[in-house]
């Protein structure tokens, strides 16, 4: 073997097993009670051996129509990912209204190749023209893009019901998953106008502009239209009990509907948006309160929400400004902090098992995105993406540990127990004790083939279109 | 007393009481164990004495932008109403896109004055401009119009979420109820296009174009936006368990959300739309199947649906034509048949009590529309709108008994037990044994004042706008 | 007319109507816009005219096997009832284990005849022998006893599942309602033993001995067995959301299951049982907390709980003693305070309408007990049981206003708005401004005939026994 | 390695992975992409490699107070188990009323040692005396018995609520799981008496005697009392939606409540009990109908029911007789057929994945019984209990393939796709192509230590006893 990890507790989807892990040619070659040989030997005594994190929702190096580009590059994002135990990202190819997507895919794939993290892409659809749906998407699918992202809000990217239905229909035809940002566009616009007219412009009114009911409405609508078309969807960044309940109802009816949440939805509250640093905590859906944090944990426990991603979407503080809350850029940096924050709040505090943790950050997103079993599991034949995790190490989260491009972390000062000691990506140690040892360009594109979880059920009204 | 009704079983909201009813000056003056005097005496031995029907959802004499007018005039509609025991209608003032509403109100009020039935109006809002919302609606409210009707589907009249929210906001400000036709516009358009493209154009595919999920989606959305704005709504013509469940959930949370259904949703099925006479049974939402009929009865039993109106919206057979199902006029004539069909299916078949029947067709719509206690109850001081109803009389429904303008009834040939023997409107016998004895112009406009059921709860997100 | 009530707002099940009420021969003879004549005229200007309260759950003058008798006699109870606006009681004929019920009925009926309040009886069944079920109950039913009461807990009276099933079966056969005290006997015994063993003997541990889960368990069991046998039941004194939810689920399935609550379950908390006066607040189920009070209101609002009775079961403070909480007599005096406390908490605080209030304290219990429309409504032909109620009068509840035999009220010092000014029982003024003007022996026994609400649905497993 | 399994698709809890399996000293030593060496090599090309079945609910060789013993011996049961791919059983130590349990444990352990299958035991508690609970159970626990079984029905073994609570309390103290047969004893007795009195004595009336509501009642009660005591339970042999719903509600509240079902509850109907062979299909709960079969699959899909065991409890046809249905021995033989029937109905018919199948028959029961990861998974260090399974082989189930002692199978003639080709128990091939190659006495007792799933949550009412 090229690398042998000895004496660890391998905590993957099959529970925690004490065994050695042998790596050869970048893949897990062997799991055994004892593996003697190995060019490189890592002693994992006292450590957990976890599958590398899969962050299936993070915004990296997205170019905008005006030529500007998101601060976070694939290189800095890769460093942040490795620092936090993540080895695979699924980030977003933009679509600019009035433009196609193929050009953006080519450009974005080239950008991603400059980073270090393994990567796949969602294609955002903000302008679902016939050209895009009928000609370009088939080409993207042939290139291994298997998920389409739709926003039901935001001025520049939102699609209406007709556009959303057409994306669902196209995804169904070509075997893609659809991921959805669920908030009601018109409702938010109306509340925002009324708030601004009342002079309530500070960042904290961002939360007032988009209460839970607008998230619930859009969640139910997305589910209903997906049910009509018979297309699997994942609801992104669920922040409240009401939206989670809609997902749970859909799942109970047997629909292919999944729900994701993010660390900010069980750690950050609307009160963080008060005061001079308030803009640093703005994201959408808006942070809620402690009661909703508990609700989110309940939804995780019940399995309604089965993926915890970062929704990393970062701007440095200098850019977190605007005339009022409606013009301040949204999004929080969380690539590096995702696993430590979840481990601390979940495993250390006794809410979930280590095995459940591994599923939430790695196995489940890998499965749902069609990356499994290459990613998301420690098993013979899988990519040797592995974290050595010290469940007892206490660390205070601070900006310098995050390795991302932006200049703050919303988790600054949070003391957590549980921390990644080393990260291996395809058998290569790319992070050790906080030092990033990967090299630029080392990340691989992960094309995805048709897969079961994204396949329709074959159940449509009157059997028409099934 | 001008009129005394003797020996009947007075079945109003307070149960069935054996007493005499004394009428003076068009109002109920006296309920008593025995009333000796009376200029006119009606013997109700063996009969039920019921409050006159209030049909809070019927389309009468609506003018269209092209100058044409719906076949049913106020005069023919009044005859149909009296024939079936209905004494009050709430019909619809149209709005034509690009036009205001005040002119339409003036015109429509004049038309209504030519009929015989007492009447109030919903104002349809299909073009919620500032002019309409801010200037014209206050004038209408001052004239006693207290309900605004919104369509979430249909090419010519549907409003988008923004328009709907603005209507809700305006209704809230002025103390109006909002009534809603709940089906998802884009979803129906998409299904329709796909069906027509597949050559499925016959009337029966009308049902395929708008399955229950599109009704559920729009129902949930209407409720969510009403919850956001804090505005009471009534969901019109609920046809299926899924939509009823959304209403029940809203009611359980304490929202002011009510649900209506119509006789066609527990008697007509999608199969009626097959064959050469299929177009005669087309309405929206589309007729479902026997399982949904049972679900609707269950929702009535539980109180989720508390009003049964006709949604009378009729075209004669010669007009029930089109290039395909999507261009055939929707709507069924039901003004006259509403009470007999419900009584037979409900009371005669043992599903509901006589008292529950009276609430569904009279008391509840009167309360919800702000007409109570002038209408909807037999009590001292109320208008003397009374039906003498023979619960044992067997009748076969046929077109000649309907007295409406259009040339068929979808209930042709249905044998029912229970039939109105006489109808009194404000103390005047306007129907006796099927003969219409009212005179043209005898109907009164019923302006409505601000009322409790249409008042907001005062609960909004963050307390903003409460 | 013998009596005319003028100018009041008659708030009965049909809403609030401004009319006069004419009384003749102890019955409501006339409701009219205006009634000129009358031997006695009561001016109800500014007052509500309500149907007399029906307290369908109160313990009065129950004899015990040892020869002792509950403190509250029919005479004192009648005074308390009239003082609080109640004109009809349904109290309990005891059964002593090892004894029959016929003798007890004869004795109890004679006792009741000495009071002033109109009265009907539940027969407690604590020893369901063949003799009792097959021979004595038919005789009681012939005498107009139409409800059987079962305790699922309490050492001296509880029946096991077999006994309960036999009571249900017997009630079904003879057309009686079954009312049930739902708490799990063995669970309470076990908790009590463990608490006493741990030295936790003070009154407050009464609440610890019977947490909500024991009420929920017994409620579900009672419902399930009633469903098996196909027998209507009323669940007594629901104190918590969990039990109410079981009732709501049963109602949603269409079962004939009703739920009652009492004023103590939305005013008294477990904390009242702490300290030296703690025993004065002991009842079963035990008082809960403010969160459960809100839950009870929610269940009232939704109609899950549709009767508010007193469960008057009183002992003076000298008797509220024992070796530990398990030997202190249970029960609170509430006959007089029931209506004022509910009116204040419900109507004055804006939670329910006056009409809903009248249903909860009068119409609904009258209907459910088969006393309607003789009792429970102001309508021609009904008994002239009427309260003149001042909705604006502020009163501080105190023992001297209660008129009951026991020496305290748990509501001492509570300031309420809304108070009965006068009470009429069958047309006779029996209370005026707190002065009791009825005469001993004036109360009438109210035998009950077979009635619809207590009739089985005819739905049994496999149709066996239907 | 002693044994190497090559070229198979290893379908365990971590999904289906194509890898080789190396076995040494009876344990899984290695999982690797390729394992070259091995004393014995098994080619699994085209086969699934599954963890050996764990049947956590089967009745084997139970002695009765009268000296007779169940027909199925540990030797015949082992043959049946191996024939069907099961390598571990959890069977029942009886308790005879009036007797203790230690003697029975000693006797039963000796009997089990004569078989071939690995084995653990539930201890039935039918007479929960202080002696048994306080002295004997601790001794059993020290010997590795970690589950107590309670019957809520059956004349000879049922315990009342008090007995059940005491068992829960004892289990909690010593860290045992409690498993429960949930049907209401008194309700079944009552229905049985009424049926027999009506002359309805044939086997088919067994189903009439115990409708779903008696199962639901007991399930809810078991859950409520377990909640009161704070003790994890598994509800045995769930047969209907109503009972499954109670379990789902409990799980949604976070309680440690699990549900099991058996193949008969999705294959056998009440109609099988009609006719001369009807007695062969009698078991309790009784077989239901096709609608309930679908409900059971739905509950499996949702995870409410997560174990499928056999409830093997067999009598040959000569013993399946009685004066009436109530005296015919209950129980069906299913040890051998469990996996093939579930695989066919589940995997072959597309309802569940292979991975889900492995969880239902092996991983989940192993976890819940505290046998994991020694049993229930193919992972380094686990016992080498392995099935080679041909997912394509079509077999008609017939008695001669079952290898059990009793003389029939209820699945006779059922054609299934999917069949075990070979079974390994701790690395030894004990079945190959239907031939049993194990030797008597080869089975090992599996003592169990305290484990997480059986540990209380620490949540009790008022925190008392937590
Ligand atoms: Zn988003
Ligand atoms: Zn995002
Ligand atoms: Zn409509
Ligand atoms: Zn309409
Ligand atoms: Zn009680
Ligand atoms: Zn009581
Ligand atoms: Zn069993
Ligand atoms: Zn069993």
């Amino acid at each position: 073997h090229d690398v042998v990890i000895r004496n660890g507790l391998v905590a993957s989807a099959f529970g925690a097993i004490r065994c050695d892990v042998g790596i050869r040619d970048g893949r897990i070659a062997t799991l055994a009670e004892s593996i003697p040989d190995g060019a490189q030997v890592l002693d994992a005594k006292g450590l957990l051996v976890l599958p590398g994190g899969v962050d299936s929702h993070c915004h990296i190096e997205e170019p905008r129509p005006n030529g500007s580009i998101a601060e976070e590059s694939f290189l800095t994002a890769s460093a942040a990912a490795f620092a936090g135990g993540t080895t695979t990202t699924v980030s977003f190819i933009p679509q600019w209204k009035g433009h196609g997507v193929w050009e953006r895919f080519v450009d974005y794939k080239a950008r991603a190749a400059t980073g270090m993290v393994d990567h796949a892409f969602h294609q955002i659809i903000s302008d679902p023209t016939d050209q895009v749906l009928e000609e370009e998407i088939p080409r993207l699918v042939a290139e291994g893009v298997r998920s389409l992202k739709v926003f039901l809000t935001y001025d520049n990217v939102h699609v209406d019901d007709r556009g959303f239905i057409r994306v669902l229909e196209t995804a169904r035809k070509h075997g893609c998953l659809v991921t959805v940002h669920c908030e009601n566009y018109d409702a938010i616009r109306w509340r925002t106008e009324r708030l601004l007219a009342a002079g309530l412009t500070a960042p904290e009114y961002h939360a007032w502009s988009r209460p839970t009911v607008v998230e619930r409405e859009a969640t139910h609508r997305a589910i209903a239209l997906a049910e009509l078309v018979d297309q699997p969807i994942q609801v992104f960044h669920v922040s409240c009990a009401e939206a989670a309940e809609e997902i749970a109802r859909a799942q109970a009816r047997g629909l292919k509907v999944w729900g994701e949440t993010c660390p900010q939805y069980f750690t950050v509250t609307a009160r963080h948006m008060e005061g001079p640093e308030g803009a640093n905590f703005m994201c959408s859906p808006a942070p809620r309160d402690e009661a909703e944090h508990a609700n989110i944990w309940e939804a995780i426990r019940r399995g309604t929400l089965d993926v915890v991603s970062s929704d990393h979407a970062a701007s440095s503080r200098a850019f977190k400004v605007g005339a009022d809350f409606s013009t301040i850029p949204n999004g929080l940096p969380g690539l590096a902090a995702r696993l430590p924050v979840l481990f601390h709040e979940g495993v250390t505090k006794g809410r979930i098992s280590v095995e459940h943790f591994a599923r939430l950050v790695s196995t489940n997103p890998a499965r749902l995105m069609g990356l499994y079993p290459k990613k998301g599991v420690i098993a013979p034949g899988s990519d040797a993406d592995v974290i050595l995790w010290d469940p007892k190490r206490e660390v205070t989260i601070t900006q310098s540990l995050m390795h991302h491009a932006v200049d703050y972390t919303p988790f600054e000062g949070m003391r957590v127990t549980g921390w990644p000691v080393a990260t291996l990506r395809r058998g290569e140690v790319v992070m050790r004790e906080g030092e990033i040892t990967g090299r630029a360009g080392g990340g691989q594109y992960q094309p995805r083939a048709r897969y079961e979880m994204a396949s329709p059920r074959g159940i449509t009204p009157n059997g028409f279109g099934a």
Side-chain angles (χ1 to χ4, degrees), chain A residues 57-59 62 92 124 149 151 154 181 236-237 260 262 284 309-313 331:
Chain A
H57 181 177
C58 45
H59 299 268
E62 280 181 38
F92 297 85
I124 291 172
K149 162 72 180 291
F151 291 89
Y154 288 132
H181 180 126
F236 269 171
H237 42 50
E260 170 210 88
C262 313
S284 297
S309 64
S310 69
D311 196 8
H312 184 88

Side-chain angles (χ1 to χ4, degrees), chain A residues 399-413:
Chain A
Q399 164 68 1
S400 64
L401 297 176
M402 297 292 98
H403 291 260
H404 48 224
V406 296
D407 63 356
Y408 79 101
T409 168
F411 305 106
E412 185 73 37

Side-chain angles (χ1 to χ4, degrees), chain A residues 60-61 72-82 87 89 91 107-119 121 425-426 428 430 436-445:
Chain A
I60 303 172
E61 203 171 332
E72 206 68 74
S73 72
F74 270 95
L75 197 58
T76 56
S78 295
F82 293 163
T87 50
T89 58
S91 58
D107 172 69
Y108 197 71
K109 187 156 180 282
R111 293 177 183 277
T114 66
M116 301 182 285
V117 78
D118 280 3
H119 48 272
F121 312 132
R425 188 221 50 215
R426 280 177 281 107
E428 181 186 345
V430 290
I436 307 304
T437 56
R439 66 184 166 74
Q444 279 185 355
Y445 175 58

Side-chain angles (χ1 to χ4, degrees), chain A residues 405-455:
Chain A
V406 296
D407 63 356
Y408 79 101
T409 168
F411 305 106
E412 185 73 37
M414 182 178 176
R415 186 146 187 86
V416 297
T417 297
W419 197 259
V421 170
T423 303
L424 286 77
R425 188 221 50 215
R426 280 177 281 107
E428 181 186 345
V429 175
V430 290
M431 186 280 285
R432 198 159 196 171
E433 291 293 350
E435 186 187 356
I436 307 304
T437 56
R439 66 184 166 74
Q444 279 185 355
Y445 175 58
Q446 306 289 322
R448 299 178 274 156
R450 193 179 281 270
Y451 59 106
E452 163 60 23
M453 289 185 94
S455 300

Side-chain angles (χ1 to χ4, degrees), chain A residues 117-192:
Chain A
V117 78
D118 280 3
H119 48 272
F121 312 132
H122 305 288
Q123 176 64 57
I124 291 172
I125 304 294
S126 60
D127 198 355
T129 61
D130 288 353
Q131 163 75 14
V132 163
L133 299 181
E134 293 169 17
E135 298 182 22
E136 300 197 59
I137 285 180
R139 292 175 67 191
L140 289 187
V141 169
E143 297 288 331
V145 174
R146 285 274 171 193
S147 44
L148 306 179
K149 162 72 180 291
V150 165
F151 291 89
L152 299 183
T153 192
Y154 288 132
D155 281 335
N156 294 329
V157 287
H158 94 284
V159 296
D160 60 14
D161 287 358
R162 181 171 181 79
F164 180 43
I165 291 169
R166 295 227 43 219
V167 172
L168 291 167
E169 182 183 34
T170 303
R172 186 177 196 272
K173 182 174 173 189
H174 297 291
C176 297
L177 184 72
V178 172
T179 59
V180 197
H181 180 126
C182 293
E183 292 187 292
N184 183 295
Y185 176 61
D186 283 332
I188 294 169
R189 276 209 300 163
W190 173 73
R191 288 276 291 184
T192 298

Side-chain angles (χ1 to χ4, degrees), chain A residues 33 96 327 368 372 380-381:
Chain A
E33 290 191 284
W96 306 333
T327 56
L368 192 53
Y372 185 90

